[in-house]
Amino acid sequence: MRNYALIVLGLNTVLRISDILLLTWNDVYDFEEKTFKTHVYIKEKKTGKDKKFLLNKNATEGLLKHKRKLGHIIGHCSSHHRIAKYFTPPVKRKISCNYCGFLACS
């Protein structure tokens, strides 16, 4: 699901892969309102320019599928987790966030 979400996001936003890989869940999802943002603001890695882009229905659906697959991991300490980060440990293994130490069982 992660790769699918990244490809759909790239095709629908025309962002460079270097910019997509830097996006965090906090960039695209409003955790207070529990909805995806309609517009995302970034600073392009290559040019340093500020850029605003629309998250259309296809991009939102791709991200939603990925978010559902991650489940309970997203939401506790979401602002620093990149969308591209893998959270696919073997079953019954505890994983922890490198930033905040939050433990989650897969």
Side-chain angles (χ1 to χ4, degrees), residues 94-106:
K94 289 186 177 182
I95 58 173
S96 65
C97 170
N98 293 334
Y99 296 95
C100 68
F102 172 72
L103 288 176
C105 295
S106 58

Side-chain angles (χ1 to χ4, degrees), residues 1-15 17 20-21 58-59 62-63 66 83-84:
M1 252 335 108
R2 176 197 92 123
N3 291 344
Y4 173 79
L6 295 176
I7 290 167
V8 170
L9 189 60
L11 290 172
N12 287 279
T13 62
V14 195
L15 289 175
I17 189 65
I20 293 172
L21 293 176
N58 293 332
L63 288 168
H66 182 42
I83 293 168

Side-chain angles (χ1 to χ4, degrees), residues 50-91:
D50 291 328
K51 185 172 186 175
K52 173 185 172 182
F53 62 92
L54 174 73
L55 270 184
N56 66 16
K57 182 180 176 183
N58 293 332
T60 301
E61 286 176 359
L63 288 168
L64 181 60
K65 287 180 182 181
H66 182 42
K67 185 178 178 301
R68 283 183 181 152
K69 177 110 175 144
L70 294 175
H72 65 281
I73 295 171
I74 298 301
H76 172 73
C77 51
S78 58
S79 63
H80 57 266
H81 286 300
R82 292 197 175 132
I83 293 168
K85 185 167 180 64
Y86 269 114
F87 282 108
T88 55
V91 177

Side-chain angles (χ1 to χ4, degrees), residues 28 47 84:
V28 298
T47 64

